[in-house]
Amino acid sequence: MASPGYGKRSVPDQKPRRKDDFAHLPAREAAIAAYIDRLPDGAAIDVKTLAKELAAYGQQAVRTALNALARAGHLFRRRETVGDGRTQWVFRTYFSRTARNESWWKRFLRGDVPAPVAAEEPPPPAYKILADVGRTDPRMSLSARECAQLEPLANEWLTRGATEAELVRALTAGLPPEGVHCPGAFARTRLQAKLPPVRDHTPAPAPEPPPHLTECKGCGAPGRALPDGRCRACRDEDPHEGWLGEAFDEEFHRRVESVRAGITKSVPRPRGAQARW
């Protein structure tokens, strides 16, 4: 930093910093200008200090570059008194990222610098879509007043989930062959008549996960239900064996034995036959 009251002084009303601010300058001048631009106010930007900080350039190269920046309108040196009643004369160095012409610097030194112009806010999306409809079909070119009047209707379309393409299609598709005599009134009629319904923004339910498969601990074959962790082939079972369960088998054998016992008791003995003991 320079001594208090000296060093770099930035001028007002500069454009935002961009990568191509100094693209119109030679490489050396552009590099030195970009370095000075990023220094704070009050930083020393004399030839010796810059040559010490920028090792790629000597004092003579820096002095030549500063003179080139002054001719390009980025740098301005002014000889003025120190102030506070003292008569000592010094040079003040002013820097501008935005190149200035000679008339601007003269007005700046007189204190006649125009106030910075506030950046215009971008138009709302609905207004911009209406303003650009004429590019899709010149028959639907709308004035600024018509765009402002139709903006609430167009914004309702966007609120209900319509896309820009759907809105433009609704205003330009199937126009009368004889032309549109009043694009503003025609657009209002279409925006009201074709207003889409409120769309359900509830997310669709997630798909059910696929059934889990297990592997047989014997052969590794996949399956959904493996009793005892083994497949049928590893259990060496009959495909139909035990499909009705053990309880059925016991009941079935009990009834078969009962039927056999009944048949034996009901068989008649021939006459004269003697029991054999």
Side-chain angles (χ1 to χ4, degrees):
M1 299 296 291
S3 301
Y6 297 88
K8 171 188 172 182
R9 295 190 175 192
S10 299
V11 301
D13 190 24
Q14 297 194 52
K15 296 180 180 179
R17 184 177 286 115
R18 298 173 52 184
K19 293 183 178 180
D20 57 348
D21 285 331
F22 308 106
H24 57 286
L25 298 173
R28 181 183 62 186
E29 283 73 11
I32 295 177
Y35 177 79
I36 296 175
D37 182 37
R38 285 165 174 76
L39 292 176
D41 281 4
I45 56 174
D46 58 278
V47 173
K48 291 184 178 181
T49 302
L50 291 177
K52 183 179 179 181
E53 296 295 329
L54 303 173
Y57 308 109
Q59 293 187 20
Q60 185 59 41
V62 172
R63 183 178 292 106
T64 303
L66 293 179
N67 292 333
L69 292 179
R71 292 191 298 269
H74 294 285
L75 201 68
F76 191 88
R77 298 189 187 94
R78 181 185 182 185
R79 188 171 182 266
E80 53 189 48
T81 60
V82 177
D84 298 331
R86 293 184 293 175
T87 58
Q88 181 184 359
W89 289 84
V90 295
F91 279 96
R92 307 291 189 191
T93 305
Y94 298 90
F95 182 81
S96 173
R97 182 186 315 114
T98 304
R100 311 292 186 176
N101 54 30
E102 185 177 356
S103 61
W104 189 95
W105 283 111
K106 289 181 178 180
R107 288 187 290 110
F108 168 73
L109 297 177
R110 294 196 306 264
D112 182 19
V113 178
V117 180
E120 296 183 1
E121 296 183 1
Y127 183 95
K128 186 178 183 302
I129 295 174
L130 293 170
D132 294 340
V133 168
R135 297 183 179 180
T136 303
D137 195 320
R139 293 175 293 178
M140 287 299 296
S141 298
L142 302 173
S143 65
R145 182 180 179 182
E146 290 171 334
C147 290
Q149 293 175 345
L150 296 173
E151 180 186 346
L153 277 174
N155 188 60
E156 181 64 23
W157 276 65
L158 300 179
T159 303
R160 298 192 176 199
T163 63
E164 178 179 351
E166 291 173 342
L167 183 54
V168 173
R169 191 182 308 113
L171 294 174
T172 57
L175 296 179
E178 64 274 10
V180 180
H181 301 289
C182 185
F186 186 86
R188 178 178 294 277
T189 301
R190 282 208 165 182
L191 290 176
Q192 292 175 341
K194 295 188 176 184
L195 184 66
V198 178
R199 298 179 180 179
D200 184 12
H201 298 286
T202 304
E208 296 183 0
H212 295 285
L213 297 178
T214 56
E215 292 185 355
C216 174
K217 63 182 182 182
C219 63
R224 297 185 181 180
L226 300 178
D228 194 25
R230 296 180 301 165
C231 64
R232 180 173 299 163
C234 292
R235 292 197 311 269
D236 194 21
E237 293 179 354
D238 182 10
H240 302 287
E241 181 182 356
W243 68 282
L244 291 178
E246 297 179 357
F248 178 84
D249 290 344
E250 295 178 359
E251 179 67 17
F252 176 77
H253 290 298
R254 187 180 63 80
R255 293 197 176 189
V256 168
E257 293 298 332
S258 175
V259 171
R260 287 178 177 175
I263 294 176
T264 303
K265 292 179 180 181
S266 60
V267 173
R269 293 180 180 179
R271 293 181 180 181
Q274 297 180 355
R276 296 181 181 179
W277 304 99

